[in-house]
């Protein structure tokens, strides 16, 4: 058990937003002797209690529970040094700015926020306070992605002139965005912001360039009531839990079959939390797109064609770089196919999990006038290609008991507030382009 009075080497931390993804941070900080999670903030006391049980399982004391509207005062009252923000995306700016104003170091889950106005407020606060803000772009820490970065920056294909990037979400992972708060753009910014921000950050980082112009096309073509009715996939229910109509729906999530989802959501509902985690993906109220195409021009002169599909039979991505000295190709099969989970449960949620049926990852270099050759790299175990563990080690240091001795040292490639803003710029400009039908200059956003 840690002392209630931290030593000078210890950090007092707060986590605001205690949903499913936040578990990764609670476990990570709880496993580090030099961190004391002193404060947990969320509108739901039930979810805070779930995270306190995680701390107890790690031999750590309970954190003080805090209502979200008491957050600013609680940071000072509990002498918080560092804050992790894992709330609904559209509220990130509120808690990032509050924590920076209180003199805390801040780590936020991606995306930085959801629109240009909120982004400007964050950048202004960083500049005014001189505070430290890191964005949790864990895909930067995937060893395959680091190898691609190294090859490109070593000039393996010369000057990079174009990129083609296709990302596929399988029908379990993709569907999950349409069951929960992400299905409403006012909360998530849509998949161009919430999900594709990962990918836009990778390309910005790989190219060492900033997006300048974005043209987007897309729509809701698979999920939602009208599409489900047209294809015959729709079952007539509002939420899966307690609904006989959902029993044969492979797109339904079974909260009661997963202890964490039960604790975080069903138990929280029973205690008065109004949030419903298992809505019908072919229901009403969905205003985010599930099929998106972008054309992006960068300040380096390179262009990218990008496509996101959220209803694929397999999960993974292909990225191809064309340069003045050749071509580099990355292909990752994160999950080769997806089985329906209508009988045995297994919640069907994604985030921080290793996929069931991973396939191959390959990097192929095709120099001009030479035979193509495969490029090897040192892979890492764990979720997101090992990216989560490596990111956590860089953000918060080693666990200290040797349990992460096999995790590679800090990569030194963490994302800053500016990086978060540049990734967001593509998604926000894309959303504007979807409305106007015209290209959007990113300089118009800030």
């Amino acid at each position: 058990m840690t002392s209630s009075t931290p030593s000078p080497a210890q950090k007092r931390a707060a986590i605001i937003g205690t949903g499913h993804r936040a578990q990764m941070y609670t476990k990570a900080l709880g496993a580090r002797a030099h961190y004391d999670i002193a404060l947990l903030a969320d509108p739901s006391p039930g979810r805070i209690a779930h995270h306190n049980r995680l701390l107890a399982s790690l031999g750590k004391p309970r954190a003080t529970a805090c209502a979200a509207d008491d957050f600013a005062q609680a940071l000072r009252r509990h002498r918080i040094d560092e804050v992790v923000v894992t709330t609904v995306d559209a509220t990130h700016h509120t808690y990032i700015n509050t924590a920076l104003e209180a003199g805390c170091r801040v780590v936020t889950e991606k995306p930085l926020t959801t629109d240009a106005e909120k982004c400007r407020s964050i950048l202004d606060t960083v500049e005014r306070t001189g505070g430290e803000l890191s964005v949790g772009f864990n895909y930067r820490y995937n060893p395959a992605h680091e190898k691609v970065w190294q090859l490109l920056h070593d000039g393996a294909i010369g000057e990079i002139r174009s990129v083609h990037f296709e990302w596929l979400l399988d029908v379990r992972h993709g569907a999950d965005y349409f069951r929960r708060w992400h299905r409403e753009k006012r909360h998530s910014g849509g998949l161009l912001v919430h999900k594709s921000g990962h990918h836009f950050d990778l390309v910005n980082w790989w190219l060492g360039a900033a997006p300048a112009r974005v043209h987007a096309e897309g729509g809701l073509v698979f999920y939602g009531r009208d599409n489900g009715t047209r294809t015959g996939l729709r079952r007539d229910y509002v939420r899966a839990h307690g609904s006989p109509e959902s029993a044969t729906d492979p797109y339904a999530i079974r909260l009661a079959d997963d202890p964490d989802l039960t604790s975080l959501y069903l138990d929280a509902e029973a205690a008065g939390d109004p949030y419903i985690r298992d809505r019908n993906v072919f229901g009403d109220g969905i205003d985010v797109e599930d099929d998106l195409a972008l054309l992006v021009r960068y300040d380096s002169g390179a262009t990218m064609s990008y496509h996101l599909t959220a209803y694929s039979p397999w999960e993974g991505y292909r990225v191809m770089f064309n340069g003045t000295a050749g071509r580099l190709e990355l292909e990752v099969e994160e999950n080769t196919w997806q089985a329906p989970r209508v009988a045995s449960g297994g919640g069907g949620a994604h985030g921080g999990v290793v996929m069931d049926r991973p396939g191959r990852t390959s990097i192929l270099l095709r120099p001009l006038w030479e035979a193509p050759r495969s490029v090897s790299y040192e892979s890492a175990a764990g979720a997101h290609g090992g990216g989560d563990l490596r990111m956590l080690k860089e953000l918060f240091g080693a666990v200290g008991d040797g349990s992460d001795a096999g995790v590679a040292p800090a990569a030194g490639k963490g994302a800053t507030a500016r990086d978060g803003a540049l990734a967001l710029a593509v998604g926000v400009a894309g959303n504007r382009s979807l409305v106007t039908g015209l290209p959007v200059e990113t300089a118009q956003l800030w």
Side-chain angles (χ1 to χ4, degrees), residues 19 30 49 107 151 162 174-175 246 269 284 289 323 334 358 390 406 422:
V107 174
L151 288 165
S162 67
S246 72
E269 279 187 62
D284 296 315
E289 301 81 11
E334 291 190 321
R390 302 178 83 212
L422 290 177

Side-chain angles (χ1 to χ4, degrees), residues 18-367:
T18 54
H20 195 270
R21 178 62 172 168
Q23 294 177 113
M24 180 185 78
Y25 292 99
T26 298
K27 292 174 182 177
L29 295 180
R32 286 163 165 80
H34 55 285
Y35 274 94
D36 173 18
I37 299 182
L39 194 67
L40 291 169
D42 195 281
S44 167
R47 281 196 288 276
I48 291 176
H50 174 89
H51 282 256
N52 266 324
R53 288 192 291 272
L54 288 178
L55 289 175
S57 72
L58 294 166
K60 290 295 187 76
R62 293 172 58 87
T64 298
C66 171
D69 57 6
D70 188 40
F71 187 59
Q73 292 76 18
L75 290 179
R76 294 176 171 85
R77 191 162 60 245
H78 293 275
R79 309 184 318 280
I80 299 300
D81 302 301
E82 300 191 11
V83 171
V84 177
V85 178
T86 52
T87 60
V88 170
D89 297 345
T91 65
H92 281 188
H93 69 294
T94 297
Y95 304 113
I96 290 170
N97 289 341
T98 297
L100 289 170
E101 295 282 5
C104 301
R105 177 204 179 204
V106 182
V107 174
T108 183
E109 260 295 287
K110 58 78 194 168
L112 181 63
T113 184
T114 55
D115 63 40
E117 182 180 2
K118 293 171 182 175
C119 184
R120 281 195 297 269
S121 77
I122 292 171
L123 296 177
D124 288 346
T125 304
V126 170
E127 183 176 5
R128 184 177 67 257
T129 63
E132 180 183 352
L133 171 61
S134 299
V135 185
F137 284 124
N138 51 8
Y139 268 114
R140 288 187 175 210
Y141 298 86
N142 182 319
H145 300 163
E146 289 188 348
K147 174 58 73 172
V148 168
W149 183 92
Q150 193 63 59
L151 288 165
L152 296 175
H153 284 254
D154 286 347
I157 62 170
E159 297 176 0
I160 305 164
R161 307 317 304 157
S162 67
V163 182
H164 176 68
F165 197 154
E166 178 186 33
W167 199 289
L168 302 165
L169 297 173
D170 70 32
V171 282
R172 183 178 68 182
H173 183 188
D176 205 41
Y177 294 110
F178 296 85
R179 302 180 184 119
R180 45 188 170 138
W181 56 262
H182 304 75
R183 67 198 241 151
E184 297 178 65
K185 196 167 283 192
R186 66 191 178 95
H187 293 315
S188 68
L191 290 183
L192 282 183
V193 169
H194 177 83
K195 181 61 184 175
S196 299
H198 262 317
H199 318 151
F200 303 148
D201 175 69
L202 276 177
V203 177
N204 295 344
W205 177 59
W206 278 329
L207 299 184
R213 183 184 308 128
V214 180
H215 185 196
E217 296 285 347
L220 182 65
V221 303
F222 185 79
Y223 301 106
R225 175 185 286 272
D226 291 345
N227 295 316
T229 300
R230 188 188 73 253
T231 58
L233 295 173
R234 173 178 162 77
R235 308 290 198 278
D236 191 17
Y237 64 93
V238 175
R239 54 96 49 96
H241 185 68
S243 170
E245 291 83 359
S246 72
T248 59
D249 185 0
Y251 295 90
I253 190 171
R254 316 288 169 196
L255 298 178
D257 291 340
D258 183 295
D260 286 342
L261 295 178
T262 297
S263 176
L264 286 166
Y265 303 109
L266 289 181
D267 292 350
E269 279 187 62
D273 183 2
Y275 177 55
I276 297 175
R277 173 66 176 78
D278 60 343
R279 286 182 284 180
N280 188 343
V281 302
F282 299 109
D284 296 315
I286 299 172
D287 66 359
V288 304
E289 301 81 11
D290 55 22
D291 194 287
L292 290 149
L294 272 73
L295 180 62
V296 183
R297 176 169 290 280
Y298 294 85
D299 60 4
S300 65
T303 59
M304 174 179 68
S305 56
Y306 171 87
H307 203 112
L308 175 71
T309 302
Y311 51 93
S312 171
W314 70 280
E315 178 134 338
Y317 46 103
R318 302 183 180 99
V319 193
M320 284 75 78
F321 303 86
N322 297 301
T324 56
R327 177 179 169 96
L328 185 65
E329 301 174 355
L330 169 66
E331 183 167 357
V332 180
E333 293 177 322
E334 291 190 321
N335 218 29
T336 54
W337 66 283
Q338 189 55 259
R341 295 193 171 191
V342 296
S344 60
H350 177 83
V353 299
V354 178
M355 296 294 199
D356 299 329
R357 304 171 184 85
R360 68 188 183 95
T361 294
S362 64
I363 302 174
L364 186 64
L365 179 61
R366 297 178 181 271

Side-chain angles (χ1 to χ4, degrees), residues 387-419:
D388 283 352
L389 292 177
R390 302 178 83 212
M391 179 184 74
L392 293 169
K393 192 169 186 177
E394 177 167 299
L395 288 174
F396 305 118
V399 172
D401 61 3
S403 61
D404 63 349
V407 179
K413 301 191 190 318
T416 65
R418 179 179 183 274
D419 295 323

